[in-house]
Amino acid sequence: MNAGGLAADVAVAAAGHEPNGYFWVGLVQFAWPDIAEGLDFDSEGGMFCAVGSPSDLARLKAALEAVITSPEAVHDIIARAESSGFEFDD
């Protein structure tokens, strides 16, 4: 997925993060650790890349589709992550 140009970028930037591929790896690892554990990530600044089985990737796609279009959902995940001490690597 291209990182940047997403509806959720507003919430990412407002929280002081860069809406890049590395940010999205962290968000996936925090929000859906059960999905993330079955994936390998090869993201860069301008893209989010996950490699895994078709079923794991389908689960990831369904989870991300609901979030990348919703600044409110991303804001909520970021707030939960930061209150738990999670640090994004962006």
Side-chain angles (χ1 to χ4, degrees):
M1 150 181 107
N2 287 328
L6 302 170
D9 290 353
V10 173
V12 176
H17 297 287
E18 292 288 326
N20 59 31
Y22 306 113
F23 169 82
W24 288 104
V25 170
L27 185 127
V28 168
Q29 290 171 331
F30 175 79
W32 306 289
D34 57 320
I35 296 173
E37 78 178 37
L39 301 172
D40 291 316
F41 299 98
D42 190 19
S43 296
E44 296 179 7
M47 73 161 186
F48 168 80
C49 178
V51 179
S53 71
S55 63
D56 286 339
L57 292 173
R59 291 176 57 211
L60 175 64
K61 180 181 178 194
L64 276 177
E65 283 179 337
V67 171
I68 62 174
T69 59
S70 174
E72 297 83 14
V74 170
H75 171 78
D76 291 346
I77 294 169
I78 292 170
R80 286 194 340 253
E82 290 177 345
S83 70
S84 75
F86 184 86
E87 292 188 30
F88 290 93
D89 181 23
D90 57 319

